[in-house]
Amino acid sequence: MTSFNTLFDHARDGNISSIGTLLHHYRNYLAVLASTQLEPRLLPRVSPSDVVQETLLRAHKNFGQFRGSSEPELLAWLRQILVNNLATFIEQHMLAARRDVRRERSLERLGASLEHSTIQLARMLPAKGKTPSVLVQQQEEAVRLADRLAQLPEDYCRVLVLRNLQELPFEQVAQRMGRSVGASRMLWLRAIDRLRTIYDEEASHA
């Protein structure tokens, strides 16, 4: 199996296949972040997968513009492309829907919101201190966490996104999920338990 560093180097050298394989590695990560930025009223028109697909296509097309040399720099570059695409999708579909919602969300505000979600995603990981090297490691581990979230049932993943990433109170989580507050809280606890089980199973096979 090709190591990440080898794949990364081949992608930076312009190998088309390596670029595609490398970017696919971040699909779940981008999908989790995108899901935190789309308002409920937009979801019938825009799905996180649509935004992620466009983000990966643009990243693949413009990979030659990436000037970084590390995974954290690549993640930051991908998040910026995601922000631009989210802004475009949101503006297009808000106008198309002709609804009384905000017509614009500035790139700066959207970017700040996405970065906050990124921090919240990292905070779901076990605490390991706050040194620069640890923070970089947490950014990288957030990608793996997103892959683990993708292994969960859809309602488990959604409740974790709403509660842990968007930091919504259980009353709003319940409204978004179409459940009672008590049922939403129990769903969240089961989702946390299942996520821990995935971590434990991986650790036992390490």
Side-chain angles (χ1 to χ4, degrees), residues 72-144:
E73 289 173 309
L74 177 59
L75 293 177
W77 185 68
L78 289 173
R79 289 197 300 271
Q80 186 56 55
I81 298 175
L82 179 63
V83 165
N84 292 335
N85 285 332
L86 279 165
T88 298
F89 271 83
I90 289 171
E91 183 176 0
Q92 287 177 345
H93 288 279
M94 280 183 175
L95 291 172
R98 295 182 180 276
R99 293 177 179 175
D100 185 21
V101 293
R102 293 189 303 272
R103 291 297 179 90
E104 296 181 1
R105 293 181 68 184
S106 69
L107 288 176
E108 181 178 353
R109 183 176 181 181
L110 189 56
S113 179
L114 189 73
E115 287 305 307
H116 179 74
S117 294
T118 303
I119 293 171
Q120 292 305 110
L121 185 62
R123 284 180 177 172
M124 289 182 67
L125 297 163
K128 296 181 180 179
K130 296 184 179 180
T131 65
S133 61
V134 168
L135 293 176
V136 168
Q137 183 181 1
Q138 285 185 323
Q139 288 186 52
E140 296 168 349
E141 281 298 314
V143 176
R144 264 57 75 184

Side-chain angles (χ1 to χ4, degrees), residues 170-188:
F170 276 110
E171 290 76 12
Q172 290 186 36
V173 172
Q175 185 178 21
R176 297 278 186 93
M177 299 288 297
R179 297 168 180 257
S180 68
V181 173
S184 296
R185 191 183 298 272
M186 290 303 299
L187 179 67
W188 177 73

Side-chain angles (χ1 to χ4, degrees), residues 145-200:
L145 173 58
D147 289 337
R148 294 172 182 123
L149 289 174
Q151 298 177 40
L152 298 174
E154 184 178 352
D155 56 349
Y156 281 15
C157 183
R158 189 180 179 201
V159 75
L160 288 173
V161 167
L162 293 172
R163 178 61 179 166
N164 292 79
L165 302 189
Q166 295 185 257
E167 301 180 285
L168 297 180
F170 276 110
E171 290 76 12
Q172 290 186 36
V173 172
Q175 185 178 21
R176 297 278 186 93
M177 299 288 297
R179 297 168 180 257
S180 68
V181 173
S184 296
R185 191 183 298 272
M186 290 303 299
L187 179 67
W188 177 73
L189 290 173
R190 290 197 299 271
I192 290 290
D193 185 63
R194 179 57 188 147
L195 188 61
R196 286 173 178 162
T197 298
I198 292 175
Y199 269 96
D200 290 342

